[in-house]
Amino acid sequence: MSNLELENLVEPVCDITHEAGRSIMEIYRKLGAVRTKSDGSPVTEADRKAHRLIAERLRALTPNTPILSEESAQAPYAERQYWSEFWLVDPLDGTREFIDQRGEFTVNIALVRNGDPVLGVVGIPAKDLIYRGHDGGGAYRQRDDAAPERIHVAHYRSGSPVVVASRSHSNTHTAAFIEQVKKACGGCALKSLGSALKICLVAEGEADVYPRLGPTSEWDIAAAHCLLRAAGGRLTTARGAPIRYNKENVLNPWFVAAGESDFDWISLTRGLADTSVD
C-alpha cells in the first residue's frame, strides 16, 4: 500500500473514529452496567458497542483486511502469523477513566503492515478531538470541525523535562525512572493521564518523555505509536529496540516514548527493565 493509498484511508478512518466516539458518549452520559473481563479489567457496554461499529465500518472500507480488536475473540497465532496487513483496534482505551467519569479515554485504530503501524488515528470522544498520522504524511490534531493542525514533538535540550505517566497504572519502576530523571536533569514536571493520551501529549510537544515500565497490549499503543513517529518522535522498548506488532504474545515489552532529545532517556531504564517481556 503506497503513501497515497494510506492518505486516502485517513479521512474514512477519522469518520469511523468520530462515529464510535459519539456512540461511546451516549453511554458515558448515562453510565450503565460494568462487567469484568477474564483478566480482571472492567468493560462496559460502550466497549462492546464501539467495537461492533468499528468492525462493521472497517470491513466495509477494506473487506479483505482482517481486524484484531481488544473486544473481539482473538484469531489464533497460527492464523495471524500470515497476516501481512491488518487493523489493530482498541474501541475504548482507558475504561477505568471512562467509569470514573474523567474523560481521559480514547478510540484507537491502527493499520499495521508487516509488524509496523503505518496509519494511526486516536480519538478523544469527551473532547471531540482527533489525532491522526501515517507514514509519509505527518501528524495532525483536529478539534470539532476546525481545520487540522500540524503537530510536532518538542526538542528537549536541557533543564527540567516534562514527564507524563499513567494515572491508573503507576508502579515502583516508573517512580524509580522519574527519580532518575530528577537526578539527571535537576528536576522535572510530572503530568498524569489515562489511555493513549499520554503518547499524544508527547506527539504534540506537551511532554518530553513517557516511560511505560509495566504491562500494555498491542492495541493500546499501535495507533498512537504511528502518530508519534509521524510527529518526529520515537517509541522503543526500554532497551532501545523497535516495538513490533502481531506477536504471538500480544503483550508489549516495557517502552519509552519520547520526542527529539539531546538526552538518552533509555539510559535511565538500565537496571529497571529486568522483567520486561522483550
Side-chain angles (χ1 to χ4, degrees), residues 7 80 84 115 155 205 216 218 234 273 277:
E7 188 172 339
R80 285 193 292 113
S84 60
H155 189 148
T216 57
E218 292 186 1
R234 299 179 69 230
V277 299

Side-chain angles (χ1 to χ4, degrees), residues 164-177:
V164 62
S166 174
R167 184 190 296 280
S168 301
H169 302 284
S170 186
N171 58 28
T172 56
H173 303 296
T174 304
F177 180 93

Side-chain angles (χ1 to χ4, degrees), residues 31-36 42-45 95 99:
L31 184 61
V34 178
R35 67 178 178 84
T36 303
V43 61
T44 71
E45 176 57 28
T95 308
I99 293 168

